[in-house]
Amino acid sequence: MQDKFIQFSQFLSYVLRHKPESISLTLNTEGWVSVDNLLLQANRHGKKLTREILEYVVENNNKKRFTFNDDHSQIRAAQGHSTQQVRLNHVSQTPPKFLYHGTATRFVDSIRQQGLLAGNRHHVHLSDNIDTATRVGARHGNPIVLVIEAQKMVELGYLFYLSDNHVWLTEHVPAQFIQQS
């Protein structure tokens, strides 16, 4: 079951964050899509996805990547979108004094020069704790945790948002606000 869980989670990430058109889905500007339509299109495209499996994947995803609306009739990815269909209207929030970004040591020189860039996503992803940042960094190689002076950024007008799954988001982190832990 664990292999199937991972496959369905990866599939949902792909269609709800990056390529909804790959299974003929259209997300609204907030990233929502009808659960019924998701199930229909997934099955039409060879993924044997049921409501029970979907509920299980959403509930048991350790990163809480997916969110249902109140009556579970719609679903969306919590953050990490690269599709231009979605422009989440997060309300800016005041972050803690410091946030953290996990990356691989091989990226540090580039980050020192350019800062943290969103790349093909809408935002840079940050954590409010070192453990999560370390796990994220380890996915990309030998991990390093960068400390982001979030409060200083806010004082200079940078905006931060908190996603449904408690990932802190901002459009860019200039190099002068980044320290190594």
Side-chain angles (χ1 to χ4, degrees):
M1 180 62 180
Q2 187 62 22
D3 287 344
K4 284 287 186 194
F5 170 80
I6 291 169
Q7 289 174 3
F8 281 120
S9 183
Q10 290 172 338
F11 169 75
L12 290 173
S13 287
Y14 182 71
V15 299
L16 296 178
R17 296 168 80 186
H18 307 296
K19 294 283 186 187
E21 66 276 8
S22 69
I23 62 166
S24 305
L25 283 182
T26 301
L27 308 178
N28 74 15
T29 57
E30 287 290 313
W32 295 107
V33 66
S34 154
V35 168
D36 290 340
N37 195 26
L38 171 64
L39 295 173
L40 175 70
Q41 294 303 338
N43 281 280
R44 281 186 177 165
H45 288 84
K47 292 290 183 185
K48 302 299 178 203
L49 185 60
T50 65
R51 186 173 290 272
E52 292 75 24
I53 292 170
L54 185 62
E55 294 270 352
Y56 181 84
V57 170
V58 172
E59 180 65 31
N60 292 286
N61 186 278
N62 63 339
K63 295 182 181 179
K64 302 298 177 194
R65 290 184 193 252
F66 315 106
T67 305
F68 285 117
N69 66 348
D70 288 339
D71 68 359
H72 288 219
S73 65
Q74 296 201 9
I75 188 171
R76 73 175 177 188
Q79 54 34 255
H81 299 90
S82 64
T83 177
Q84 295 307 306
Q85 291 180 28
V86 177
R87 281 287 171 197
L88 296 181
N89 290 318
H90 293 295
V91 176
S92 64
Q93 296 191 32
T94 302
K97 184 175 182 178
F98 297 105
L99 291 170
Y100 306 94
H101 181 80
T103 191
T105 54
R106 70 180 183 273
F107 299 129
V108 172
D109 289 339
S110 173
I111 292 169
R112 281 189 185 128
Q113 292 176 13
Q114 299 178 35
L116 291 170
L117 306 173
N120 64 353
R121 294 185 179 182
H122 297 179
H123 296 99
V124 173
H125 296 185
L126 305 169
S127 172
D128 62 3
N129 68 80
I130 292 171
D131 290 340
T132 299
T134 302
R135 281 194 306 276
V136 169
R139 293 186 328 201
H140 305 289
N142 187 22
I144 187 166
V145 174
L146 305 174
V147 180
I148 311 305
E149 296 177 301
Q151 199 58 51
K152 285 184 181 178
M153 289 179 64
V154 168
E155 290 168 6
L156 292 173
Y158 290 88
L159 298 176
F160 287 83
Y161 312 95
L162 189 60
S163 70
D164 294 347
N165 62 340
H166 303 288
V167 173
W168 283 93
L169 308 170
T170 192
E171 291 182 11
H172 173 240
V173 179
Q176 69 261 30
F177 299 108
I178 302 171
Q179 308 167 9
Q180 280 186 234
S181 62

